[in-house]
Amino acid sequence: MTGHVQAPARAGRERTPASAHEAPPGAARALPMIAVLVLCAAAMAFGEWGAELGLSELSVYKVLRLVHIVVAVIAFGSTFGIPVLMPLAGRGGVATLRVALHFAEQLEEKIVVPGSLLVAATGGGLILSDLSGYQDDLPAWIIVAIALWVIAAVVAFAVQNPAVKRALAVLEDADDTGPVPQALGPIAGQLDRVGKVLALLAILSLFLMTWRPGLW
Ligand code: HEM
């Protein structure tokens, strides 16, 4: 968020201009996502054909698993700070809350979405690797993990993101130095509840990945 935050608002009706948080135009905005999709395809291809590059099957597997875990930690771990940030930002007033909500929005766009795509792709690469044998016999815990990933993606995309945008819209015309609008209350409550559900889905996925229960 550095470079986007303006100097604190002086007393009176001044407020942080919206342009401080606006995203780059279309094409420039699509490029990072195209790069992530190319990386995802490369992770899957590496799982399937990595050994033909002269690496051992085990090395291919270890590289994919390392990337899988590191990206999962960064993508999902980063969201666990938001429930600490939001109450603090709420006590700081309208301008602080607006920056915190923009932070959550940009964290989602720049870290969580690309990260969760890469987690799925490296997971897919691990399944395609001959070492695991998951291609021929996909265990239940992976099927459930994929289902949880899809549920989390739908909830984040269809419920949480629009709620962040609604919260920002409520703060749009609020005075930086004035009270936080009452209309924000129910939205903040929903953001908190859905945030807890998404956190639970991430922890459940981690349990499946490490405990690998024999479900059926
Ligand atoms: C589409 C979703 C996912 C797929 C297809 C997937 C697939 C896999 C596969 C095939 C493995 C290797 C298991 C083995 O070594 O036998 C694995 C390991 C792992 N995954 Fe995932 N995964 C997914 C999502 C996640 C998520 C969301 C997380 C974290 C929140 C995660 C964390 C891990 C961890 C920590 C390991 C290493 C477990 C260990 O070595 O004990 N995965 N995953």
Side-chain angles (χ1 to χ4, degrees), residues 61 65 68-69 72-73 76 116 119-127 132 134 138 141-142 145-147 149-150 201-203 205-206 209-212:
Y61 199 82
R65 193 166 57 182
H68 184 70
I69 299 171
V73 168
F76 306 117
S116 56
V119 163
T122 48
L126 287 163
I127 293 169
S132 68
Y134 291 142
L138 195 62
W141 59 268
I142 295 185
I146 295 170
W149 186 92
V150 172
L201 290 175
I203 293 167
S205 302
L206 213 44
M209 294 288 131
T210 50
W211 203 280
R212 301 172 202 174

Side-chain angles (χ1 to χ4, degrees), residues 80-155:
F80 283 75
I82 293 184
V84 179
L85 172 68
M86 285 304 167
L88 210 64
R91 287 197 290 279
V94 170
T96 317
L97 204 45
R98 202 182 287 124
V99 171
L101 284 164
H102 278 298
F103 168 76
E105 199 180 38
Q106 296 209 11
L107 183 76
E108 180 80 12
E109 189 179 317
K110 293 181 176 162
I111 306 277
V112 182
V113 171
S116 56
L117 287 170
L118 271 172
V119 163
T122 48
L126 287 163
I127 293 169
L128 292 174
S129 146
D130 289 340
L131 194 85
S132 68
Y134 291 142
Q135 252 185 98
D136 311 317
D137 177 21
L138 195 62
W141 59 268
I142 295 185
I143 297 170
V144 176
I146 295 170
L148 292 183
W149 186 92
V150 172
I151 293 167
V154 170
V155 170

Side-chain angles (χ1 to χ4, degrees), residues 36-104:
V36 168
L37 293 175
V38 169
L39 271 179
C40 288
M44 302 277 281
F46 186 62
E48 179 74 42
W49 298 296
E52 288 167 31
L53 299 171
L55 292 169
S56 71
E57 280 288 356
L58 185 60
S59 304
V60 170
Y61 199 82
K62 281 185 173 176
V63 169
L64 275 172
R65 193 166 57 182
L66 175 66
V67 176
H68 184 70
I69 299 171
V70 169
V71 176
V73 168
I74 296 169
F76 306 117
S78 58
T79 62
F80 283 75
I82 293 184
V84 179
L85 172 68
M86 285 304 167
L88 210 64
R91 287 197 290 279
V94 170
T96 317
L97 204 45
R98 202 182 287 124
V99 171
L101 284 164
H102 278 298
F103 168 76

Side-chain angles (χ1 to χ4, degrees), residues 6-37:
Q6 301 282 323
R10 289 186 295 284
R13 299 209 58 77
E14 271 192 55
R15 53 176 297 280
T16 312
S19 61
H21 306 291
E22 267 158 27
R29 194 169 173 173
L31 279 178
M33 187 44 80
I34 293 168
V36 168
L37 293 175

